[in-house]
Amino acid sequence: MTDISLSASEVALYDRQIRLWGVGAQTRLRQSRVLIVHLTALAAECVKNLVLAGVGAITIADDNRVNPEDLAAGIFFRDADIGEYRVIAARDRIQALNPLVELQFLQTIPLADTFTSYDIVIATHGSMHDFSVYNDMCRLGTAKFYAATLAGPYGFIFVDLQRHRFQITQQVSNVATKLGRSGRGEGKVIDVRTVDGDHTMEKVTREIQYSSLSQLAAASTATADTSLYPFLNVNLRRKTRLTGLITVLLALIETSVETTANDVERVLVRAQAISDTYTLPNQPVSDLLDLYGLSLSPVAAILGGVLAQDVINVIGEQQFPIDNLVVFDSINNGIDCPVFSIGSQ
């Protein structure tokens, strides 16, 4: 991140959120550089929240033009925009949300080897193979990576923050917070300090080591199934709350494929094998593949909000991040967004 401090106008504009998460977090937002790959309906919801929050510099890249389908869920598009490049059509409406944010709009997708110049890269369009390539390019540097896609009433967010450190302020418990590994999704405690002037509160610094999509795909061929996904080794009552969507997502990550007819069959076969291995009560949801990329406005709003909030939390370094797969199934789970931890430490 670039060393930039807040101006008086920024302090005035962001006063309420500074009171919520502090000057330090707001300054880190101001210093951050985010790349959005494709301005989908999901990305638009995320962009709106990031711009309003005061992320310093956001680059939005999309080589697609507005089509009639975009009008159904794309909050920045109007009838008159059909045929225009998405980024051109949305440019003024996005900038009007917050003139203090530095925005750049590209009508081409940047080469993946430029991803390392950003702090965070968010991709919301493409196959799991595309996402895996983007993820690997981010790992050539320190860029944190998000992949997210809608599929009608379904959706997912995958997160690879590489090695992420954050600090939680919490009440001092009767049981002392110990250094070392905590529960799944909580990472490793590396430092505990009492808050100055208040011995009832403590600051706990944690660290989570994430896995990339390609690392997870490689692990699936070298690890016994029952140890690869420990969160599926739960009792029957908890298993009934798992939908068949999770098995299809895991199979997509393992195979890292495009979405051709042959690939779909391969994914469903693997998803069924995962379901059988863990004796899950629900069948794999093939609709995820049939509807892959289809945007519904309510789903885009919910998942886009979750995505943007986690990006803000990660930049601010003061909240637990997503670790590392969010599964959204509005058919079976309503608006719940359960998080599954895969391969992180």
mmCIF file of all heavy atoms in Angstrom, residues 17 21 43-55 58 75-76 97 301-302 304-309 312:
data_model
loop_
_atom_site.group_PDB
_atom_site.id
_atom_site.type_symbol
_atom_site.label_atom_id
_atom_site.label_comp_id
_atom_site.label_asym_id
_atom_site.label_seq_id
_atom_site.Cartn_x
_atom_site.Cartn_y
_atom_site.Cartn_z
ATOM 1 N N GLN A 17 -17.910 6.409 9.805
ATOM 2 C CA GLN A 17 -17.249 5.110 9.749
ATOM 3 C C GLN A 17 -15.905 5.123 10.472
ATOM 4 O O GLN A 17 -15.462 4.093 10.983
ATOM 5 C CB GLN A 17 -17.094 4.634 8.305
ATOM 6 C CG GLN A 17 -16.344 5.542 7.372
ATOM 7 C CD GLN A 17 -16.678 5.229 5.915
ATOM 8 O OE1 GLN A 17 -17.845 5.165 5.535
ATOM 9 N NE2 GLN A 17 -15.648 5.031 5.098
ATOM 10 N N TRP A 21 -14.664 2.125 12.876
ATOM 11 C CA TRP A 21 -13.481 1.260 12.782
ATOM 12 C C TRP A 21 -12.154 1.988 12.957
ATOM 13 O O TRP A 21 -11.095 1.384 12.860
ATOM 14 C CB TRP A 21 -13.477 0.464 11.481
ATOM 15 C CG TRP A 21 -13.626 1.242 10.203
ATOM 16 C CD1 TRP A 21 -12.870 2.291 9.774
ATOM 17 C CD2 TRP A 21 -14.580 1.004 9.160
ATOM 18 N NE1 TRP A 21 -13.278 2.730 8.543
ATOM 19 C CE2 TRP A 21 -14.335 1.952 8.134
ATOM 20 C CE3 TRP A 21 -15.603 0.073 8.973
ATOM 21 C CZ2 TRP A 21 -15.092 1.996 6.961
ATOM 22 C CZ3 TRP A 21 -16.344 0.129 7.809
ATOM 23 C CH2 TRP A 21 -16.093 1.081 6.826
ATOM 24 N N ALA A 43 -20.285 -7.679 -9.102
ATOM 25 C CA ALA A 43 -19.193 -6.718 -8.958
ATOM 26 C C ALA A 43 -19.727 -5.314 -8.719
ATOM 27 O O ALA A 43 -19.151 -4.544 -7.942
ATOM 28 C CB ALA A 43 -18.311 -6.744 -10.200
ATOM 29 N N ALA A 44 -20.832 -4.959 -9.381
ATOM 30 C CA ALA A 44 -21.400 -3.620 -9.225
ATOM 31 C C ALA A 44 -21.806 -3.358 -7.782
ATOM 32 O O ALA A 44 -21.566 -2.275 -7.237
ATOM 33 C CB ALA A 44 -22.600 -3.455 -10.154
ATOM 34 N N GLU A 45 -22.431 -4.352 -7.146
ATOM 35 C CA GLU A 45 -22.824 -4.200 -5.745
ATOM 36 C C GLU A 45 -21.590 -4.043 -4.857
ATOM 37 O O GLU A 45 -21.574 -3.238 -3.918
ATOM 38 C CB GLU A 45 -23.643 -5.407 -5.292
ATOM 39 C CG GLU A 45 -24.989 -5.553 -5.975
ATOM 40 C CD GLU A 45 -26.026 -4.549 -5.482
ATOM 41 O OE1 GLU A 45 -25.742 -3.815 -4.509
ATOM 42 O OE2 GLU A 45 -27.121 -4.496 -6.072
ATOM 43 N N CYS A 46 -20.557 -4.798 -5.155
ATOM 44 C CA CYS A 46 -19.314 -4.715 -4.393
ATOM 45 C C CYS A 46 -18.642 -3.361 -4.603
ATOM 46 O O CYS A 46 -18.210 -2.710 -3.643
ATOM 47 C CB CYS A 46 -18.384 -5.850 -4.814
ATOM 48 S SG CYS A 46 -16.781 -5.853 -3.982
ATOM 49 N N VAL A 47 -18.562 -2.918 -5.856
ATOM 50 C CA VAL A 47 -17.940 -1.630 -6.179
ATOM 51 C C VAL A 47 -18.644 -0.495 -5.451
ATOM 52 O O VAL A 47 -17.999 0.402 -4.884
ATOM 53 C CB VAL A 47 -17.962 -1.388 -7.702
ATOM 54 C CG1 VAL A 47 -17.644 0.064 -8.029
ATOM 55 C CG2 VAL A 47 -16.971 -2.309 -8.397
ATOM 56 N N LYS A 48 -19.963 -0.509 -5.464
ATOM 57 C CA LYS A 48 -20.737 0.539 -4.785
ATOM 58 C C LYS A 48 -20.294 0.681 -3.335
ATOM 59 O O LYS A 48 -20.017 1.794 -2.855
ATOM 60 C CB LYS A 48 -22.224 0.192 -4.849
ATOM 61 C CG LYS A 48 -23.131 1.129 -4.061
ATOM 62 C CD LYS A 48 -24.519 0.528 -3.891
ATOM 63 C CE LYS A 48 -24.479 -0.714 -3.016
ATOM 64 N NZ LYS A 48 -25.816 -1.311 -2.785
ATOM 65 N N ASN A 49 -20.195 -0.435 -2.630
ATOM 66 C CA ASN A 49 -19.839 -0.391 -1.212
ATOM 67 C C ASN A 49 -18.386 0.015 -0.991
ATOM 68 O O ASN A 49 -18.071 0.726 -0.030
ATOM 69 C CB ASN A 49 -20.113 -1.750 -0.565
ATOM 70 C CG ASN A 49 -21.595 -2.067 -0.490
ATOM 71 O OD1 ASN A 49 -22.437 -1.174 -0.589
ATOM 72 N ND2 ASN A 49 -21.926 -3.332 -0.320
ATOM 73 N N LEU A 50 -17.491 -0.425 -1.864
ATOM 74 C CA LEU A 50 -16.080 -0.072 -1.711
ATOM 75 C C LEU A 50 -15.848 1.409 -1.988
ATOM 76 O O LEU A 50 -15.055 2.068 -1.306
ATOM 77 C CB LEU A 50 -15.217 -0.920 -2.647
ATOM 78 C CG LEU A 50 -15.189 -2.427 -2.377
ATOM 79 C CD1 LEU A 50 -14.257 -3.120 -3.363
ATOM 80 C CD2 LEU A 50 -14.765 -2.730 -0.945
ATOM 81 N N VAL A 51 -16.537 1.941 -2.991
ATOM 82 C CA VAL A 51 -16.406 3.368 -3.307
ATOM 83 C C VAL A 51 -16.942 4.212 -2.157
ATOM 84 O O VAL A 51 -16.314 5.193 -1.732
ATOM 85 C CB VAL A 51 -17.139 3.698 -4.622
ATOM 86 C CG1 VAL A 51 -17.221 5.208 -4.827
ATOM 87 C CG2 VAL A 51 -16.425 3.055 -5.805
ATOM 88 N N LEU A 52 -18.092 3.846 -1.634
ATOM 89 C CA LEU A 52 -18.674 4.600 -0.523
ATOM 90 C C LEU A 52 -17.813 4.502 0.735
ATOM 91 O O LEU A 52 -17.762 5.443 1.534
ATOM 92 C CB LEU A 52 -20.089 4.096 -0.229
ATOM 93 C CG LEU A 52 -21.144 4.402 -1.300
ATOM 94 C CD1 LEU A 52 -22.454 3.694 -0.968
ATOM 95 C CD2 LEU A 52 -21.369 5.903 -1.430
ATOM 96 N N ALA A 53 -17.126 3.372 0.910
ATOM 97 C CA ALA A 53 -16.278 3.190 2.091
ATOM 98 C C ALA A 53 -14.993 4.000 2.013
ATOM 99 O O ALA A 53 -14.354 4.248 3.033
ATOM 100 C CB ALA A 53 -15.946 1.711 2.275
ATOM 101 N N GLY A 54 -14.582 4.399 0.797
ATOM 102 C CA GLY A 54 -13.396 5.226 0.661
ATOM 103 C C GLY A 54 -12.127 4.485 0.314
ATOM 104 O O GLY A 54 -11.026 4.934 0.678
ATOM 105 N N VAL A 55 -12.242 3.352 -0.400
ATOM 106 C CA VAL A 55 -11.036 2.689 -0.905
ATOM 107 C C VAL A 55 -10.296 3.674 -1.809
ATOM 108 O O VAL A 55 -10.905 4.334 -2.657
ATOM 109 C CB VAL A 55 -11.405 1.405 -1.675
ATOM 110 C CG1 VAL A 55 -10.193 0.860 -2.421
ATOM 111 C CG2 VAL A 55 -11.956 0.362 -0.718
ATOM 112 N N ILE A 58 -9.487 2.365 -7.257
ATOM 113 C CA ILE A 58 -10.169 1.183 -7.780
ATOM 114 C C ILE A 58 -10.074 1.204 -9.299
ATOM 115 O O ILE A 58 -10.440 2.191 -9.943
ATOM 116 C CB ILE A 58 -11.651 1.144 -7.359
ATOM 117 C CG1 ILE A 58 -11.776 1.133 -5.834
ATOM 118 C CG2 ILE A 58 -12.348 -0.076 -7.957
ATOM 119 C CD1 ILE A 58 -13.214 1.186 -5.336
ATOM 120 N N ILE A 75 -26.893 -2.512 -11.472
ATOM 121 C CA ILE A 75 -27.435 -1.283 -10.882
ATOM 122 C C ILE A 75 -26.919 -0.014 -11.552
ATOM 123 O O ILE A 75 -27.500 1.059 -11.368
ATOM 124 C CB ILE A 75 -27.133 -1.221 -9.369
ATOM 125 C CG1 ILE A 75 -25.619 -1.269 -9.117
ATOM 126 C CG2 ILE A 75 -27.854 -2.332 -8.637
ATOM 127 C CD1 ILE A 75 -25.244 -1.089 -7.659
ATOM 128 N N PHE A 76 -25.850 -0.101 -12.344
ATOM 129 C CA PHE A 76 -25.290 1.094 -12.972
ATOM 130 C C PHE A 76 -25.704 1.261 -14.434
ATOM 131 O O PHE A 76 -25.244 2.184 -15.107
ATOM 132 C CB PHE A 76 -23.762 1.074 -12.884
ATOM 133 C CG PHE A 76 -23.235 1.168 -11.485
ATOM 134 C CD1 PHE A 76 -22.425 0.175 -10.959
ATOM 135 C CD2 PHE A 76 -23.553 2.255 -10.680
ATOM 136 C CE1 PHE A 76 -21.933 0.261 -9.669
ATOM 137 C CE2 PHE A 76 -23.070 2.352 -9.382
ATOM 138 C CZ PHE A 76 -22.258 1.353 -8.875
ATOM 139 N N LEU A 97 -20.703 8.552 -6.783
ATOM 140 C CA LEU A 97 -20.887 8.022 -5.431
ATOM 141 C C LEU A 97 -19.881 8.616 -4.453
ATOM 142 O O LEU A 97 -20.187 8.815 -3.277
ATOM 143 C CB LEU A 97 -20.744 6.493 -5.432
ATOM 144 C CG LEU A 97 -21.810 5.695 -6.174
ATOM 145 C CD1 LEU A 97 -21.419 4.216 -6.215
ATOM 146 C CD2 LEU A 97 -23.171 5.857 -5.507
ATOM 147 N N ALA A 301 -27.159 -8.457 -4.650
ATOM 148 C CA ALA A 301 -27.088 -7.484 -3.558
ATOM 149 C C ALA A 301 -26.566 -8.125 -2.276
ATOM 150 O O ALA A 301 -25.715 -7.552 -1.579
ATOM 151 C CB ALA A 301 -28.464 -6.870 -3.322
ATOM 152 N N ILE A 302 -27.053 -9.325 -1.966
ATOM 153 C CA ILE A 302 -26.633 -9.995 -0.732
ATOM 154 C C ILE A 302 -25.171 -10.418 -0.812
ATOM 155 O O ILE A 302 -24.353 -10.085 0.060
ATOM 156 C CB ILE A 302 -27.528 -11.219 -0.453
ATOM 157 C CG1 ILE A 302 -28.957 -10.773 -0.145
ATOM 158 C CG2 ILE A 302 -26.966 -12.043 0.710
ATOM 159 C CD1 ILE A 302 -29.956 -11.912 -0.073
ATOM 160 N N GLY A 304 -22.881 -9.531 -2.988
ATOM 161 C CA GLY A 304 -21.996 -8.389 -3.215
ATOM 162 C C GLY A 304 -21.705 -7.637 -1.937
ATOM 163 O O GLY A 304 -20.587 -7.150 -1.720
ATOM 164 N N GLY A 305 -22.710 -7.551 -1.057
ATOM 165 C CA GLY A 305 -22.496 -6.913 0.238
ATOM 166 C C GLY A 305 -21.542 -7.697 1.109
ATOM 167 O O GLY A 305 -20.672 -7.124 1.782
ATOM 168 N N VAL A 306 -21.689 -9.025 1.108
ATOM 169 C CA VAL A 306 -20.781 -9.888 1.878
ATOM 170 C C VAL A 306 -19.353 -9.749 1.360
ATOM 171 O O VAL A 306 -18.394 -9.632 2.135
ATOM 172 C CB VAL A 306 -21.240 -11.360 1.798
ATOM 173 C CG1 VAL A 306 -20.204 -12.292 2.430
ATOM 174 C CG2 VAL A 306 -22.594 -11.534 2.481
ATOM 175 N N LEU A 307 -19.210 -9.744 0.042
ATOM 176 C CA LEU A 307 -17.891 -9.626 -0.584
ATOM 177 C C LEU A 307 -17.229 -8.302 -0.222
ATOM 178 O O LEU A 307 -16.064 -8.266 0.212
ATOM 179 C CB LEU A 307 -18.044 -9.759 -2.097
ATOM 180 C CG LEU A 307 -16.804 -9.523 -2.970
ATOM 181 C CD1 LEU A 307 -15.683 -10.472 -2.588
ATOM 182 C CD2 LEU A 307 -17.171 -9.688 -4.445
ATOM 183 N N ALA A 308 -17.952 -7.201 -0.385
ATOM 184 C CA ALA A 308 -17.385 -5.884 -0.098
ATOM 185 C C ALA A 308 -17.021 -5.742 1.375
ATOM 186 O O ALA A 308 -15.968 -5.180 1.714
ATOM 187 C CB ALA A 308 -18.370 -4.792 -0.500
ATOM 188 N N GLN A 309 -17.879 -6.245 2.260
ATOM 189 C CA GLN A 309 -17.597 -6.119 3.688
ATOM 190 C C GLN A 309 -16.335 -6.869 4.075
ATOM 191 O O GLN A 309 -15.542 -6.398 4.898
ATOM 192 C CB GLN A 309 -18.777 -6.627 4.517
ATOM 193 C CG GLN A 309 -18.633 -6.371 6.013
ATOM 194 C CD GLN A 309 -18.467 -4.899 6.334
ATOM 195 O OE1 GLN A 309 -19.326 -4.084 5.988
ATOM 196 N NE2 GLN A 309 -17.367 -4.531 6.984
ATOM 197 N N ILE A 312 -13.314 -4.855 2.993
ATOM 198 C CA ILE A 312 -13.099 -3.759 3.944
ATOM 199 C C ILE A 312 -12.465 -4.283 5.232
ATOM 200 O O ILE A 312 -11.525 -3.685 5.775
ATOM 201 C CB ILE A 312 -14.436 -3.048 4.240
ATOM 202 C CG1 ILE A 312 -14.923 -2.313 2.987
ATOM 203 C CG2 ILE A 312 -14.295 -2.075 5.405
ATOM 204 C CD1 ILE A 312 -16.345 -1.792 3.081
#
